[in-house]
Amino acid sequence: MAQEAGVVIIGAGIGGLVAAVQLAGAGVPVTVVERMATPGGKLRTVACEGIAVDAGPTVFTARWIFEALFESLGERLDDHLTLVKSERLARHAWGDGSSLDLWADPARSRDAIHAFAGAAEARGFDSFRAESARIWNALEHRYMEAPVTTPVGLAFRFGLSGMGEMLAINPFQTLWKALGKHFKDPRLHQLYGRYATYCGASPYDATATLMLIAHLEARGVWLVEGGMHKVAEALAALATARGAAFRYNAHVSGIITRNGRATGVQLADGETIVAGDVLANCDASAIADGRFGPEAARSVTGTPPGKRSLSALVTMMTADARGFDLDRHNVFFSDDYAREFRQIFGEGRLPSAPSVYVCAQDRGLGPPPDGPERFQLIVNAPATGDDRAPTPEEISACQTATLAALARCGLTLTPRAQVPVDPAMFETLFPSTGGALYGRASHGWQASFRRPGSRTGLPGLWLAGGSAHPGAGVPMAALSGRLASAAILSARASTARSRPMAIAGGMSMPKATTANMA
């Protein structure tokens, strides 16, 4: 009996890794082809004078998604990763000397907000938290865990009895305006507006539906012993144990098609890998721009430059820290948030006085080290890496402004070694994005419905990753991999059922089926 044609996965980002685990676990031959030397995609490290510093996502949430994945193969997540739940979600600071910690315990966060801004703002936190949970609960199963759909399709998922619940997700109001119902203190308005940046959007243009991110974070933040890249390593090891093959330092130059179907990939060195299906775990724009061939390009719509999400100026460093009691996750806010996003999205330039996220990677699991520490600093930036990338002078000015912003809040960092990554470098790492790190920006109520789903217009070619449904971020990318692998398995099962079946007397008839949409 001939072996089942396998699946080739382009890219070992989180979406591709989750798909590899699920497909290999179902007995499908899987080959993952990755340009980089290690798995993870954006979950990567860089070396600062020989010291590995996490250079990608730093927050581990939605633990249940990964627990379910490991359990589906008879494994325990805790046997593969050491996760420590963080009591403190993040520490926030402003130039006026004020600071606020948010906690995993909502009662503790409420008390902190009461002490920080008064009783009215504490009540606002209660109403905000309730609305965030309501939006999450309305969309978790109907949208995020389900195949991509249209607004009408989503309405059908809610049904007539659920129309009120659907409208309550507040898709037609901006996040910034909606936050005004809950908070009057401008610092709290700014703090919760920052959740838009988690998916690369401006709080002034993003839909209020993004309040749900606060609920996701409130359900738990975990620290990964060894760094976030360990998540990718654990997934790759699990897929390998189930028979998946990984090809690192291998560049896919084209998607092979035959008779109107994707049938494999060609590598830059001329080697071809034949497959029954191809899953592209890359930005959809790379396919649409023709980087994998004209037939694949016609099957996907990319993100126009004007609709791209945020990029970033990210600096990994080892440094000495003084003057501010850092936790693992810290946010230092600018004095003029509106100007910051005008400069990024309106003027296409680095902010002159940025807000800064600081991941202190040696904090949170014990006492801070005696000496230099590992840091990742993130400043939001425009996704112009393929057009008007920031000049070295602009990058230097932004780095100076970054350290000045930290100093205004009481933190002095003295770098020992540093490695900056700007939008042009992100464009090199993730082509056709301009450096956008989150696919399409979630601006306006239609944005979420414009992301491509698992299925493309080319049979046999599928999508996963942060530019695909349900969106960016480690949990959403994991769900995209789950949806894509389920769609592939469903299509294969449908094809198998519809093949002619031998019947006594020499007759055969196809069995009628309806393929699932994805």
Side-chain angles (χ1 to χ4, degrees):
M1 185 174 180
Q3 185 181 26
E4 179 181 17
V7 175
V8 171
I9 299 176
I10 305 171
I14 287 295
L17 289 171
V18 169
V21 169
Q22 296 209 277
L23 291 168
V28 177
V30 174
T31 301
V32 182
V33 183
E34 169 57 51
R35 286 198 310 160
M36 299 183 190
T38 57
K42 294 183 177 73
L43 274 180
R44 63 194 188 95
T45 64
V46 301
C48 289
E49 289 192 343
I51 299 174
V53 181
D54 268 350
T58 60
V59 180
F60 187 83
T61 58
R63 174 183 174 139
W64 62 89
I65 294 175
F66 298 92
E67 285 180 329
L69 177 64
F70 278 79
E71 288 171 4
S72 71
L73 297 183
E75 302 280 346
R76 293 177 66 252
L77 178 65
D78 288 337
D79 292 336
H80 298 264
L81 284 172
T82 300
L83 303 174
V84 179
K85 190 168 185 179
S86 178
E87 292 186 11
R88 186 184 286 110
L89 300 180
R91 175 159 284 168
H92 309 82
W94 289 264
D96 62 2
S98 60
S99 64
L100 173 66
D101 290 350
L102 293 182
W103 303 87
D105 178 0
R108 194 171 182 182
S109 285
R110 188 187 194 281
D111 290 345
I113 290 173
H114 186 284
F116 178 76
E121 298 302 281
R123 291 192 295 271
F125 169 73
D126 290 337
S127 62
F128 169 79
R129 191 164 68 89
E131 184 169 2
S132 172
R134 184 172 65 249
I135 295 171
W136 175 273
N137 292 332
L139 292 176
E140 180 178 13
H141 303 303
R142 295 182 179 99
Y143 178 76
M144 290 178 283
E145 293 184 349
V148 69
T149 188
T150 63
V152 173
L154 183 60
F156 273 110
R157 290 176 185 172
F158 277 92
L160 289 176
S161 62
M163 282 298 99
E165 189 181 5
M166 180 178 176
L167 292 175
I169 67 177
N170 206 1
F172 304 116
Q173 193 174 44
T174 66
L175 175 62
W176 193 260
K177 185 173 182 180
L179 288 172
K181 298 183 301 182
H182 306 286
F183 303 110
K184 304 305 178 187
D185 189 300
R187 297 168 299 178
L188 292 174
H189 209 149
Q190 190 179 36
L191 187 159
Y192 285 105
R194 182 179 174 273
Y195 283 108
T197 66
Y198 279 39
C199 57
S202 161
Y204 301 95
D205 298 307
T207 172
T209 305
L210 293 185
M211 282 187 188
L212 62 82
I213 297 174
H215 182 70
L216 169 64
E217 191 172 76
R219 290 180 68 176
V221 171
W222 283 263
L223 307 181
V224 183
E225 188 175 285
M228 282 288 288
H229 63 282
K230 292 294 183 181
V231 177
E233 291 178 6
L235 291 172
L238 184 61
T240 300
R242 293 305 188 275
F246 284 79
R247 301 277 301 274
Y248 296 110
N249 297 308
H251 175 60
V252 174
S253 59
I255 294 171
I256 302 168
T257 60
R258 182 178 181 185
N259 297 325
R261 180 181 176 84
T263 57
V265 300
Q266 181 168 11
L267 305 186
D269 63 5
E271 179 186 354
T272 61
I273 303 176
V274 177
D277 293 278
V278 176
L279 172 57
N281 178 215
C282 61
D283 197 284
S285 292
I287 302 173
D289 284 356
R291 292 179 182 271
F292 297 99
E295 288 195 64
R298 290 190 290 269
S299 72
V300 175
T301 300
T303 302
K307 302 295 184 181
R308 289 170 175 165
S309 68
L310 290 167
S311 184
L313 176 59
V314 183
T315 305
M316 281 61 65
M317 66 169 63
T318 56
D320 296 296
R322 302 191 315 275
F324 186 91
D325 186 15
L326 290 161
D327 197 60
R328 175 67 66 93
H329 305 295
N330 312 270
V331 184
F332 299 86
F333 286 105
S334 68
D335 295 332
D336 191 339
Y337 216 39
R339 179 180 64 181
E340 182 176 344
F341 286 96
R342 280 198 309 271
Q343 290 177 333
I344 294 170
F345 283 106
E347 302 170 20
R349 65 188 184 94
L350 294 172
S352 56
S355 297
V356 187
Y357 165 75
V358 176
C359 179
Q361 296 178 21
D362 295 307
R363 305 282 180 125
L365 289 175
D370 183 16
E373 303 177 48
R374 297 172 300 158
F375 294 100
Q376 182 187 155
L377 278 60
I378 301 178
V379 169
N380 294 321
T384 55
D386 57 350
D387 179 19
R388 188 202 171 278
T391 65
E393 292 75 20
E394 289 169 333
I395 292 171
S396 178
C398 188
Q399 289 176 316
T400 298
T402 296
L403 295 178
L406 301 180
R408 283 197 300 273
C409 297
L411 173 63
T412 299
L413 288 182
T414 305
R416 299 281 190 98
Q418 53 186 318
V419 178
V421 182
D422 66 86
M425 297 176 185
F426 281 123
E427 161 66 19
T428 300
L429 289 169
F430 311 110
S432 294
T433 64
L437 298 175
Y438 313 88
R440 178 184 288 266
S442 298
H443 292 165
W445 69 273
Q446 297 184 67
S448 295
F449 298 102
R450 294 190 184 278
R451 291 193 190 98
S454 306
R455 190 183 299 270
T456 74
L458 178 64
L461 177 61
W462 311 82
L463 288 178
S467 70
H469 173 77
V474 172
M476 297 301 109
L479 288 177
S480 79
R482 192 167 82 182
L483 288 167
S485 56
I488 292 171
L489 292 172
S490 176
R492 287 181 167 220
S494 176
T495 300
R497 289 194 301 269
S498 64
R499 286 177 183 144
M501 301 293 291
I503 299 176
M507 296 180 62
S508 64
M509 295 181 63
K511 183 177 180 181
T513 60
T514 302
N516 292 336
M517 295 299 292

